[in-house]
Amino acid sequence: MKIIYAKDYDSMSRKAANIISAQVILKPNSVLGLATGSSPIGIYKQLIEWYEKGDLDFSACHTVNLDEYVGLDKTNDQSYAYFMYHNFFKDININMENTNVPNGTNTDAAGECARYNKVIQDLGGIDIQLLGIGHNGHIGFNEPGIAFEKETHCVELTQKTIDANTRFFNSKEEVPTHAYTMGIKNIMNAKKILLVACGAEKAEILYRMVTGKIEPSVPASILQLHNDVTIVADEAALTVINEKAPYLIERLPSCNKK
Ligand code: GLP
């Protein structure tokens, strides 16, 4: 695992966007695995800026998102399909037919999960998977459990995740209790993984993910077994690693500035 230090959120976003940008330049028809949450928003903004400058072309790219709330359709402003369109897709030259998010309105859970696994398979797999990390170590919506779920599945969200997501809804009652999410095998099959984390509240879980035991109670810990993982994290999220295992952190020369 490569852990890259970034001073703050903007710097983290820029460094991570550089990695995605290199992927798209080197392989214009890349399959990009995308994520939602507050952590990747700055990355999408940066990529849009470089697209507008003429440095990036997404016309041949395909995208697959990690997850979606069950019960929300793409016109609901809290759905991940809505998030992706408004934070990224509408401002770049991606063909919307090349974008994929699980269909939260499909009430046939088994059918939807099988369909989504096939989408990923038919695309030939994911070239780079962007991930955030939940406070409890979840990736996508793979919540802590007693086993690693392999492929796309319907998950019951933990109270901790529901609480963390309540800020986006008008009331607690509106927060969905279930989601469709790629499984650990789908994520681990990605050729490259790029995980971003920011803020002090991610510091402990990031340390556990990187140095702790590989166990389903910290789903992100499985990433220790992937051979191409890059973590870009801000100073606050790196405090515990910096305290207990500072030698794991790479500080690129540009860190003198940002
Ligand atoms: C949600 C998403 C995850 C994301 C997590 C953290 O649970 N399903 O993919 O990583 O939130 O979000 P944030 O980046 O806002 O902390």
Side-chain angles (χ1 to χ4, degrees):
M1 279 190 185
K2 204 184 229 322
I3 307 177
I4 298 177
Y5 163 93
K7 173 122 200 70
D8 51 23
Y9 182 80
D10 285 352
S11 169
M12 176 197 81
S13 303
R14 201 177 164 103
K15 287 176 199 296
N18 259 307
I19 294 170
I20 296 180
S21 156
Q23 173 70 42
V24 173
I25 290 167
L26 291 171
K27 187 180 176 199
N29 63 345
S30 287
V31 178
L32 307 175
L34 300 179
T36 54
S38 47
S39 307
I41 291 179
I43 300 176
Y44 297 140
K45 274 202 183 117
Q46 182 64 76
L47 291 172
I48 291 167
E49 199 182 310
W50 288 333
Y51 160 72
E52 283 169 350
K53 283 186 177 154
D55 290 347
L56 287 174
D57 177 2
F58 294 93
S59 61
C61 287
H62 285 76
T63 67
V64 276
N65 261 77
L66 283 166
D67 45 13
E68 179 60 286
Y69 289 117
V70 173
L72 303 193
D73 83 347
K74 60 181 182 205
T75 61
N76 185 308
D77 63 5
Q78 291 310 323
S79 74
Y80 286 168
Y82 185 100
F83 175 104
M84 288 311 301
Y85 183 74
H86 289 275
N87 285 295
F88 194 31
F89 298 152
K90 77 172 174 38
D91 295 317
I92 56 169
N93 66 336
I94 194 143
N95 177 351
M96 281 306 290
E97 285 177 7
N98 291 354
T99 68
N100 298 279
V101 180
N103 176 3
T105 62
N106 190 349
T107 49
D108 169 14
E112 180 55 23
C113 294
R115 182 194 71 81
Y116 207 65
N117 286 331
K118 190 162 181 319
V119 165
I120 300 168
Q121 198 188 343
D122 290 351
L123 286 170
I126 298 165
D127 288 301
I128 186 165
Q129 178 64 56
L130 176 62
L131 297 173
I133 182 166
H135 298 90
N136 57 7
H138 73 231
I139 45 177
F141 266 136
N142 288 274
E143 294 280 37
I146 47 164
F148 291 111
E149 291 279 350
K150 296 179 197 72
E151 298 200 288
T152 310
H153 56 285
C154 181
V155 66
E156 184 174 0
L157 303 176
T158 62
Q159 198 53 49
K160 197 165 182 181
T161 301
I162 293 174
D163 292 346
N165 291 346
T166 302
R167 66 196 150 117
F168 301 115
F169 292 83
N170 294 325
S171 68
K172 235 179 181 158
E173 292 65 48
E174 278 179 40
V175 190
T177 54
H178 290 76
Y180 293 135
T181 181
M182 273 187 208
I184 293 294
K185 185 173 163 194
N186 300 118
I187 295 171
M188 288 295 280
N189 276 345
K191 293 186 188 89
K192 290 174 194 287
I193 305 256
L194 171 61
L195 184 142
V196 288
C198 64
E201 70 280 6
K202 300 282 173 74
E204 185 62 40
I205 197 68
L206 203 56
Y207 174 71
R208 285 181 67 195
M209 166 201 151
V210 171
T211 65
K213 202 169 150 201
I214 298 166
E215 53 190 354
S217 58
V218 182
S221 64
I222 193 84
L223 298 175
Q224 291 178 39
L225 298 181
H226 192 285
N227 62 15
D228 194 345
V229 176
T230 303
I231 298 167
V232 185
D234 76 348
E235 193 164 314
L238 287 172
T239 44
V240 180
I241 299 182
N242 194 34
E243 206 178 283
K244 299 187 175 164
Y247 49 87
L248 293 177
I249 303 174
E250 290 191 33
R251 290 165 193 267
L252 304 178
S254 64
C255 294
N256 297 337
K257 285 191 178 158
K258 283 243 171 188

